Amino acid sequence: MKLGLVLGGGGLIGLGYHAGVLKALADEGIDVKRADVIVGTSAGSIVASYLATGWDQTDFYEYTHGRHPKALRDPDEQRQEVSRLFHPLYRSRTERVRRSVGSLFAMASSRGYVPGAERIPARIRNAFPSGMYSTDETRLRLHDDLPQGFPDTPELLICAADLLTGRRTPFGAPDAPAAALPDAVAASCAIPGIFPPVDVAGRSYVDGGIVSATSLDLAVDRGCEAILCIAPLGYRKDGPTPVRDPRQWAPVVVRSAFARSLRREVRAARAGGVSVAVLRPWLSDLVVHGTNSMRHHDRVAVAEGARAGTIRALGALRQHPALDAFGSHAPRRSS
């Protein structure tokens, strides 16, 4: 059985969520590194790339708790680490206005809302650069931690979107432009309007989450027969009752489009005979997650909530074929 692991977007909150989920899965004997194909989008691209190139699935949890060799242990240093992600690229009011205009264009064109965007002269686009905050530190960290090349196994797909057409590009696929792995991950995390696009092979790319928060269909297209999907931007109802807590209303609204897209992709995969197990936050978790996935947050609280919520979800997913396929008792697929 060919196995797929799909890791979705979700910003800084999504990174903490992945850490808790992966820890819970490890504790339950579910080995995500058995995957033949790993698809990563936005925050999920970071987790996917580190998993595929050496990190264990519990390393992210240890990092969150400040116990990993690469982690900052002091909470104040952790806050400073996050603040460095939002170093402004503008130094004057005029430059801020130009970047604001360029960022609005990037948000529209990357969603395919600007027909003929490629015909706009480069000198005009350069006069209104997009992105308000630098990604230099993130890219340096990625180049320090990750190899330049994609691994041979598992097959690793890093999803970004073309800035001017909105077309999804799964870096690592045979027909995708050649890209260094750190640059592909940086592109997948370049939220249009917030961070500048990343140039790869003469084109500009932004966060692949604008096309799909998970790109689960790519794992289906690669022939995966069982898929485990971690979707920080989805949500799972705690029961049949409606959403009563007002603190959950705004997060549900923000996630509604992502949740609908995820449901469509899962239905299509299952209709094609693929076994899909999805792990996503419970509605009660959204009180902690909030609406701004890029804010500084208590990363430990998010990870611990995700770990507890995953254990709870696994209780309802016992003997799910996709989870059984990733279990430590399952035979490994011969090469």
PDB file of all heavy atoms in Angstrom, residues 74-89:
ATOM      1  N   ASP A  74      14.474  30.167  26.457  1.00  0.00           N
ATOM      2  CA  ASP A  74      13.915  31.302  27.185  1.00  0.00           C
ATOM      3  C   ASP A  74      12.679  31.836  26.458  1.00  0.00           C
ATOM      4  O   ASP A  74      12.756  32.150  25.262  1.00  0.00           O
ATOM      5  CB  ASP A  74      14.974  32.409  27.299  1.00  0.00           C
ATOM      6  CG  ASP A  74      14.532  33.529  28.219  1.00  0.00           C
ATOM      7  OD1 ASP A  74      13.456  34.105  27.982  1.00  0.00           O
ATOM      8  OD2 ASP A  74      15.275  33.833  29.178  1.00  0.00           O
ATOM      9  N   PRO A  75      11.539  31.963  27.148  1.00  0.00           N
ATOM     10  CA  PRO A  75      10.322  32.481  26.489  1.00  0.00           C
ATOM     11  C   PRO A  75      10.522  33.864  25.886  1.00  0.00           C
ATOM     12  O   PRO A  75       9.939  34.179  24.832  1.00  0.00           O
ATOM     13  CB  PRO A  75       9.288  32.507  27.618  1.00  0.00           C
ATOM     14  CG  PRO A  75       9.765  31.467  28.589  1.00  0.00           C
ATOM     15  CD  PRO A  75      11.270  31.521  28.519  1.00  0.00           C
ATOM     16  N   ASP A  76      11.331  34.715  26.530  1.00  0.00           N
ATOM     17  CA  ASP A  76      11.585  36.041  25.961  1.00  0.00           C
ATOM     18  C   ASP A  76      12.344  35.937  24.649  1.00  0.00           C
ATOM     19  O   ASP A  76      12.076  36.672  23.697  1.00  0.00           O
ATOM     20  CB  ASP A  76      12.383  36.897  26.954  1.00  0.00           C
ATOM     21  CG  ASP A  76      11.547  37.312  28.164  1.00  0.00           C
ATOM     22  OD1 ASP A  76      10.309  37.370  28.022  1.00  0.00           O
ATOM     23  OD2 ASP A  76      12.134  37.567  29.230  1.00  0.00           O
ATOM     24  N   GLU A  77      13.306  35.012  24.577  1.00  0.00           N
ATOM     25  CA  GLU A  77      14.034  34.797  23.326  1.00  0.00           C
ATOM     26  C   GLU A  77      13.113  34.241  22.244  1.00  0.00           C
ATOM     27  O   GLU A  77      13.265  34.579  21.066  1.00  0.00           O
ATOM     28  CB  GLU A  77      15.205  33.838  23.554  1.00  0.00           C
ATOM     29  CG  GLU A  77      16.329  34.419  24.405  1.00  0.00           C
ATOM     30  CD  GLU A  77      17.473  33.441  24.581  1.00  0.00           C
ATOM     31  OE1 GLU A  77      17.225  32.217  24.497  1.00  0.00           O
ATOM     32  OE2 GLU A  77      18.603  33.900  24.783  1.00  0.00           O
ATOM     33  N   GLN A  78      12.154  33.412  22.640  1.00  0.00           N
ATOM     34  CA  GLN A  78      11.189  32.889  21.677  1.00  0.00           C
ATOM     35  C   GLN A  78      10.343  34.015  21.095  1.00  0.00           C
ATOM     36  O   GLN A  78      10.072  34.051  19.892  1.00  0.00           O
ATOM     37  CB  GLN A  78      10.297  31.844  22.345  1.00  0.00           C
ATOM     38  CG  GLN A  78      11.019  30.573  22.740  1.00  0.00           C
ATOM     39  CD  GLN A  78      10.131  29.592  23.470  1.00  0.00           C
ATOM     40  OE1 GLN A  78       8.946  29.837  23.674  1.00  0.00           O
ATOM     41  NE2 GLN A  78      10.700  28.458  23.866  1.00  0.00           N
ATOM     42  N   ARG A  79       9.934  34.957  21.959  1.00  0.00           N
ATOM     43  CA  ARG A  79       9.155  36.096  21.462  1.00  0.00           C
ATOM     44  C   ARG A  79       9.983  36.954  20.518  1.00  0.00           C
ATOM     45  O   ARG A  79       9.485  37.447  19.496  1.00  0.00           O
ATOM     46  CB  ARG A  79       8.642  36.930  22.638  1.00  0.00           C
ATOM     47  CG  ARG A  79       7.426  36.312  23.337  1.00  0.00           C
ATOM     48  CD  ARG A  79       6.815  37.299  24.313  1.00  0.00           C
ATOM     49  NE  ARG A  79       7.671  37.465  25.487  1.00  0.00           N
ATOM     50  CZ  ARG A  79       7.599  36.711  26.568  1.00  0.00           C
ATOM     51  NH1 ARG A  79       6.731  35.718  26.627  1.00  0.00           N
ATOM     52  NH2 ARG A  79       8.394  36.933  27.597  1.00  0.00           N
ATOM     53  N   GLN A  80      11.260  37.142  20.850  1.00  0.00           N
ATOM     54  CA  GLN A  80      12.129  37.921  19.971  1.00  0.00           C
ATOM     55  C   GLN A  80      12.333  37.213  18.635  1.00  0.00           C
ATOM     56  O   GLN A  80      12.405  37.857  17.584  1.00  0.00           O
ATOM     57  CB  GLN A  80      13.478  38.159  20.656  1.00  0.00           C
ATOM     58  CG  GLN A  80      13.401  39.077  21.863  1.00  0.00           C
ATOM     59  CD  GLN A  80      14.704  39.124  22.647  1.00  0.00           C
ATOM     60  OE1 GLN A  80      15.745  38.656  22.167  1.00  0.00           O
ATOM     61  NE2 GLN A  80      14.663  39.680  23.848  1.00  0.00           N
ATOM     62  N   GLU A  81      12.383  35.890  18.687  1.00  0.00           N
ATOM     63  CA  GLU A  81      12.510  35.102  17.457  1.00  0.00           C
ATOM     64  C   GLU A  81      11.328  35.365  16.539  1.00  0.00           C
ATOM     65  O   GLU A  81      11.485  35.558  15.324  1.00  0.00           O
ATOM     66  CB  GLU A  81      12.611  33.619  17.802  1.00  0.00           C
ATOM     67  CG  GLU A  81      12.720  32.702  16.597  1.00  0.00           C
ATOM     68  CD  GLU A  81      12.680  31.238  16.985  1.00  0.00           C
ATOM     69  OE1 GLU A  81      11.816  30.856  17.811  1.00  0.00           O
ATOM     70  OE2 GLU A  81      13.497  30.472  16.459  1.00  0.00           O
ATOM     71  N   VAL A  82      10.128  35.395  17.099  1.00  0.00           N
ATOM     72  CA  VAL A  82       8.933  35.660  16.307  1.00  0.00           C
ATOM     73  C   VAL A  82       8.929  37.100  15.801  1.00  0.00           C
ATOM     74  O   VAL A  82       8.580  37.359  14.636  1.00  0.00           O
ATOM     75  CB  VAL A  82       7.668  35.380  17.138  1.00  0.00           C
ATOM     76  CG1 VAL A  82       6.418  35.811  16.372  1.00  0.00           C
ATOM     77  CG2 VAL A  82       7.580  33.901  17.486  1.00  0.00           C
ATOM     78  N   SER A  83       9.330  38.037  16.642  1.00  0.00           N
ATOM     79  CA  SER A  83       9.310  39.441  16.226  1.00  0.00           C
ATOM     80  C   SER A  83      10.256  39.696  15.058  1.00  0.00           C
ATOM     81  O   SER A  83       9.999  40.565  14.219  1.00  0.00           O
ATOM     82  CB  SER A  83       9.674  40.350  17.406  1.00  0.00           C
ATOM     83  OG  SER A  83      11.030  40.188  17.781  1.00  0.00           O
ATOM     84  N   ARG A  84      11.342  38.923  14.978  1.00  0.00           N
ATOM     85  CA  ARG A  84      12.279  39.096  13.858  1.00  0.00           C
ATOM     86  C   ARG A  84      11.669  38.650  12.535  1.00  0.00           C
ATOM     87  O   ARG A  84      12.147  39.028  11.464  1.00  0.00           O
ATOM     88  CB  ARG A  84      13.575  38.327  14.135  1.00  0.00           C
ATOM     89  CG  ARG A  84      14.439  38.959  15.218  1.00  0.00           C
ATOM     90  CD  ARG A  84      15.851  38.377  15.199  1.00  0.00           C
ATOM     91  NE  ARG A  84      15.873  36.977  15.577  1.00  0.00           N
ATOM     92  CZ  ARG A  84      16.010  36.540  16.831  1.00  0.00           C
ATOM     93  NH1 ARG A  84      16.115  37.393  17.833  1.00  0.00           N
ATOM     94  NH2 ARG A  84      16.056  35.245  17.081  1.00  0.00           N
ATOM     95  N   LEU A  85      10.615  37.831  12.609  1.00  0.00           N
ATOM     96  CA  LEU A  85       9.923  37.424  11.384  1.00  0.00           C
ATOM     97  C   LEU A  85       9.166  38.581  10.758  1.00  0.00           C
ATOM     98  O   LEU A  85       8.782  38.520   9.591  1.00  0.00           O
ATOM     99  CB  LEU A  85       8.939  36.284  11.680  1.00  0.00           C
ATOM    100  CG  LEU A  85       9.526  34.958  12.160  1.00  0.00           C
ATOM    101  CD1 LEU A  85       8.399  33.997  12.507  1.00  0.00           C
ATOM    102  CD2 LEU A  85      10.441  34.367  11.110  1.00  0.00           C
ATOM    103  N   PHE A  86       8.934  39.631  11.532  1.00  0.00           N
ATOM    104  CA  PHE A  86       8.121  40.752  11.060  1.00  0.00           C
ATOM    105  C   PHE A  86       8.931  42.047  11.064  1.00  0.00           C
ATOM    106  O   PHE A  86       8.479  43.078  11.539  1.00  0.00           O
ATOM    107  CB  PHE A  86       6.858  40.873  11.914  1.00  0.00           C
ATOM    108  CG  PHE A  86       5.946  39.691  11.787  1.00  0.00           C
ATOM    109  CD1 PHE A  86       5.991  38.656  12.699  1.00  0.00           C
ATOM    110  CD2 PHE A  86       5.076  39.586  10.722  1.00  0.00           C
ATOM    111  CE1 PHE A  86       5.176  37.549  12.578  1.00  0.00           C
ATOM    112  CE2 PHE A  86       4.248  38.488  10.576  1.00  0.00           C
ATOM    113  CZ  PHE A  86       4.302  37.465  11.507  1.00  0.00           C
ATOM    114  N   HIS A  87      10.141  41.953  10.511  1.00  0.00           N
ATOM    115  CA  HIS A  87      10.974  43.146  10.353  1.00  0.00           C
ATOM    116  C   HIS A  87      10.483  43.917   9.131  1.00  0.00           C
ATOM    117  O   HIS A  87      10.493  43.395   8.014  1.00  0.00           O
ATOM    118  CB  HIS A  87      12.433  42.734  10.169  1.00  0.00           C
ATOM    119  CG  HIS A  87      13.346  43.890   9.942  1.00  0.00           C
ATOM    120  ND1 HIS A  87      13.662  44.804  10.928  1.00  0.00           N
ATOM    121  CD2 HIS A  87      14.008  44.307   8.815  1.00  0.00           C
ATOM    122  CE1 HIS A  87      14.477  45.709  10.445  1.00  0.00           C
ATOM    123  NE2 HIS A  87      14.699  45.434   9.159  1.00  0.00           N
ATOM    124  N   PRO A  88      10.034  45.168   9.306  1.00  0.00           N
ATOM    125  CA  PRO A  88       9.441  45.911   8.185  1.00  0.00           C
ATOM    126  C   PRO A  88      10.430  46.132   7.047  1.00  0.00           C
ATOM    127  O   PRO A  88      11.623  46.374   7.271  1.00  0.00           O
ATOM    128  CB  PRO A  88       9.032  47.252   8.824  1.00  0.00           C
ATOM    129  CG  PRO A  88       8.931  46.973  10.282  1.00  0.00           C
ATOM    130  CD  PRO A  88       9.976  45.930  10.562  1.00  0.00           C
ATOM    131  N   LEU A  89       9.923  46.054   5.830  1.00  0.00           N
ATOM    132  CA  LEU A  89      10.730  46.308   4.643  1.00  0.00           C
ATOM    133  C   LEU A  89      10.673  47.765   4.212  1.00  0.00           C
ATOM    134  O   LEU A  89      11.407  48.175   3.322  1.00  0.00           O
ATOM    135  CB  LEU A  89      10.251  45.417   3.488  1.00  0.00           C
ATOM    136  CG  LEU A  89      10.617  43.935   3.583  1.00  0.00           C
ATOM    137  CD1 LEU A  89       9.856  43.133   2.544  1.00  0.00           C
ATOM    138  CD2 LEU A  89      12.119  43.734   3.426  1.00  0.00           C
TER     139      LEU A  89
END
